[in-house]
Amino acid sequence: PDQSKGSQTRLANLRKLVNRAARHGLRVFLYLNEPRSMPHRFFESHPEIKGISEAGYATLCTSHPEVQRFLVDSVASICRAVPGLGGFFSITASENLTNCWSHGSGGATCPRCGARSAAEVIAEVNYLFHQGIQKAGSDAQLIAWDWGWNDAWAAEAIRGLAPGTMFQSVSEWSIPIERGGVKTQVGEYSISAVGPGPRARRHWELARERGLQTVAKIQAGNTWELSTVPYIPAVENVARHAANLHKSGVSGLMLGWTLGGYPSVNLEVVGEALASGSAEDALRQVAERRFGSALAPLVVKAWKQFSTAFSEYPYNGGVLYCGPQQLGPANLMWEQPTGYKATMTGFPYDDLDSWRAVYPPEVFVQQFEKMANGFTSALEELRLSASHIVETASTAQRQALAAEGRVAEAAAIHFRSTANQARFILARRALATASTAAEAAPHRASMERALKDEIELARRLHHIQTSDSRFGFEASNQYFYVPTDLAEKILNCHDLLTRWLPTAGPKDAGNPKS
């Protein structure tokens, strides 16, 4: 009971939200990541339901009958209290400790779950959620998500799901890719790789054999490849993915998490491509609707060029979460290594080795330069071609074109800045080991170029953000940077250029022009 304080108020607010959404033809689904683990002190009065322990917390063992009743009755009580609820979607193997097998092998230490397979326990948790819906007599739907499921037992878990459950899989996971000569595979959401991939196809087929409807989880607007623009304008990639999903026979789509929800051409294109199954038709229809028939072919061509460039992204989970591409030119430069480790989508510092992950340093730099060059050249071509006919467009169409240009320009700035920062760090390392003026000169010149370019990029991004507040924002992190941060970066680079660089390295290296 002490965990339920305020529950009636929350249920009342949920009813209001569900009713508001219904007036617009929308249904609300709740995310179930249950039962959440509890601190050890909780189990002083409930020792019989304690499962495995981890970092001071323990699971409510879902193999215990009392916990099973709790899950069923909890879902049923929500469904009764909010009769218009659309349903639930579950994650049963997440970062959070929930059931005893939610973090993999740890379930073997539970006296109850250790005698059962991970697949059996995880399928059962979803089965209990489904029973709760049935007990309430609700028409709410349950979507069971295979996020974190081990491929070794996923098939068994899928076969254990209750009839009527919808089954969801991340579409692009396990797609094999090669970027800059480095072979790897997609293990997160991606717009640079076009799905669906072999894992999702395999799991969807197993679900269909079980008689279940299938759902694809994608992110159509943004991924952690670049989260701080309103959407990644690699629109052809998004259209092709949606058209492929149309052909795959999935019954539904989950389009995003905290990032990627901003209204965009990407989301419009997904809708059109899912309806028609044609990426080309979707691109044309959305472009004509937004920019008019005269500008549409030029925009579609640019979208395709952006998509080609973005397909060079040096994809890896370490790059996504540790790299400076989210902050771009707002990330400061340092005259000496900070020694700080990059934090997850937070502060990259100067931790190049974490940024690049599996990619050699030079390959990492080159791939970001390829993307920056590709976006920049495509945008320049679009603006030049459009300049001859833009006056015939409506005010709304001209504004849409200008906004599209800002998105592409900001993306290019972030890519260019990431390459600059990496080159600066590599040159700083080389300068630290240089013993002569001749040896030091090219490294100092490289750092000078990077610092001057960062000043220009920060100025351009400052202009974009101060005229369009969508930039720099992502819902879970809020603003990665604000205009003051970009102004600080300019001062930071000026300081390094004028105070530090002229005397850095061997004393006889001479002073570079600044």
Side-chain angles (χ1 to χ4, degrees):
D2 61 314
Q3 302 295 319
S4 300
K5 185 178 179 181
S7 62
Q8 293 307 309
T9 300
R10 290 191 291 274
L11 287 168
N13 288 336
L14 180 58
R15 280 194 298 274
K16 292 177 184 177
L17 176 63
V18 166
N19 291 335
R20 283 171 55 203
R23 292 197 294 270
H24 299 277
L26 302 173
R27 293 184 298 153
V28 174
F29 282 69
L30 296 183
Y31 165 36
L32 288 178
N33 191 197
E34 302 288 345
R36 295 295 279 270
S37 58
M38 299 296 291
H40 284 160
R41 64 180 179 274
F42 173 85
F43 297 95
E44 293 172 3
S45 54
H46 306 282
E48 72 284 355
I49 62 172
K50 184 178 180 181
I52 68 166
S53 293
E54 187 178 292
Y57 284 74
T59 62
L60 280 65
C61 179
T62 60
S63 293
H64 194 286
E66 185 176 349
V67 176
Q68 293 179 353
R69 285 193 297 272
F70 163 69
L71 289 177
V72 171
D73 291 345
S74 295
V75 172
S77 68
I78 294 171
C79 290
R80 292 192 189 103
V82 191
L85 188 68
F88 306 85
F89 72 94
S90 69
I91 294 185
T92 42
S94 80
E95 297 96 336
N96 299 308
L97 184 64
T98 55
N99 64 78
C100 294
W101 280 105
S102 59
H103 281 183
S105 59
T109 63
C110 173
R112 289 170 293 268
C113 296
R116 309 175 67 196
S117 69
E120 182 182 1
V121 169
I122 283 176
E124 183 177 65
V125 173
N126 282 294
Y127 211 102
L128 295 167
F129 295 154
H130 190 268
Q131 279 187 311
I133 295 171
Q134 298 297 106
K135 184 174 182 178
S138 172
D139 60 359
Q141 294 174 289
L142 173 65
I143 301 172
W145 193 355
D146 67 354
W147 197 98
W149 290 11
N150 191 308
D151 286 357
W153 50 256
E156 181 185 348
I158 293 169
R159 286 191 286 266
L161 297 174
T165 302
M166 300 182 76
F167 171 76
Q168 179 170 278
S169 192
V170 177
S171 177
E172 58 267 42
W173 276 11
S174 78
I175 295 176
I177 58 173
E178 183 174 344
R179 309 279 167 85
V182 177
K183 293 182 179 180
T184 183
Q185 66 177 24
V186 174
E188 241 281 10
Y189 305 104
S190 176
I191 289 175
S192 68
V194 177
R199 181 181 186 270
R201 291 182 186 275
R202 183 172 63 251
H203 288 187
W204 289 333
E205 185 57 34
L206 290 166
R208 292 189 187 103
E209 291 173 1
R210 181 77 176 90
L212 308 179
Q213 289 186 308
T214 53
V215 180
K217 169 66 179 77
I218 69 171
Q219 290 186 188
N222 298 77
T223 66
W224 288 115
E225 290 160 316
L226 181 61
S227 70
T228 45
V229 293
Y231 54 93
I232 299 169
V235 189
E236 184 191 28
N237 286 358
V238 174
R240 287 172 51 211
H241 194 168
N244 291 344
L245 290 173
H246 171 93
K247 297 177 179 67
S248 76
V250 293
S251 306
L253 208 56
M254 181 177 172
L255 280 169
W257 273 112
T258 61
L259 65 166
Y262 192 86
S264 66
V265 292
N266 295 31
L267 298 184
E268 286 187 42
V269 160
V270 168
E272 295 291 350
L274 281 176
S276 68
S278 169
E280 283 292 330
D281 289 348
L283 292 169
R284 176 182 52 78
Q285 289 165 1
V286 172
E288 289 180 353
R289 187 159 61 235
R290 285 208 169 213
F291 307 102
S293 58
L295 290 171
L298 306 180
V299 175
V300 169
K301 182 179 180 181
W303 285 344
K304 292 181 177 181
Q305 291 170 325
F306 297 150
S307 296
T308 298
F310 197 61
S311 296
E312 295 288 349
Y313 197 101
Y315 188 97
N316 177 269
V319 177
L320 301 188
Y321 287 124
C322 297
Q325 68 275 8
Q326 317 301 343
L327 280 170
N331 194 39
L332 298 178
M333 311 282 251
W334 306 87
E335 62 193 74
Q336 298 293 335
T338 66
Y340 293 142
K341 293 292 290 182
T343 64
M344 182 175 176
T345 67
F347 300 96
Y349 299 110
D350 54 349
D351 186 12
L352 175 59
D353 289 335
S354 292
W355 301 353
R356 64 182 180 84
V358 299
Y359 293 90
E362 193 61 33
V363 172
F364 177 83
V365 172
Q366 289 171 357
Q367 293 306 113
F368 272 96
E369 287 179 339
K370 286 178 185 178
M371 289 190 293
N373 292 339
F375 271 68
T376 299
S377 62
L379 181 58
E380 288 174 352
E381 181 181 344
L382 171 62
R383 284 172 168 167
L384 178 62
S385 301
S387 65
H388 303 299
I389 56 175
V390 71
E391 292 304 320
T392 64
S394 68
T395 300
Q397 290 164 353
R398 290 197 297 272
Q399 290 174 341
L401 182 66
E404 196 72 8
R406 287 195 296 272
V407 174
E409 182 177 1
I413 288 171
H414 279 255
F415 300 148
R416 182 79 64 194
S417 178
T418 299
N420 281 343
Q421 293 175 55
R423 284 213 181 277
F424 178 89
I425 293 166
L426 291 173
R428 187 183 67 186
R429 288 178 182 175
L431 183 67
T433 62
S435 57
T436 67
E439 189 180 349
H443 307 310
R444 294 172 64 178
S446 177
M447 286 189 287
E448 181 180 9
R449 286 192 299 271
L451 289 167
K452 289 181 175 180
D453 199 32
E454 284 295 282
I455 290 172
E456 178 60 24
L457 295 177
R459 283 176 172 154
R460 287 168 56 196
L461 191 57
H462 184 281
H463 175 74
I464 291 171
Q465 189 179 47
T466 52
S467 61
D468 190 335
S469 62
R470 299 176 302 166
F471 292 90
F473 182 85
E474 186 276 319
S476 62
N477 290 281
Q478 301 296 290
Y479 277 99
F480 273 89
Y481 54 83
V482 293
T484 303
D485 297 311
L486 296 166
E488 181 185 14
K489 176 60 174 288
I490 294 171
L491 295 175
N492 162 237
C493 292
H494 271 299
D495 173 64
L496 293 177
L497 279 168
T498 58
R499 177 190 57 79
W500 170 70
L501 192 57
T503 59
K507 297 301 182 183
D508 63 338
N511 293 334
K513 295 179 180 179
S514 60

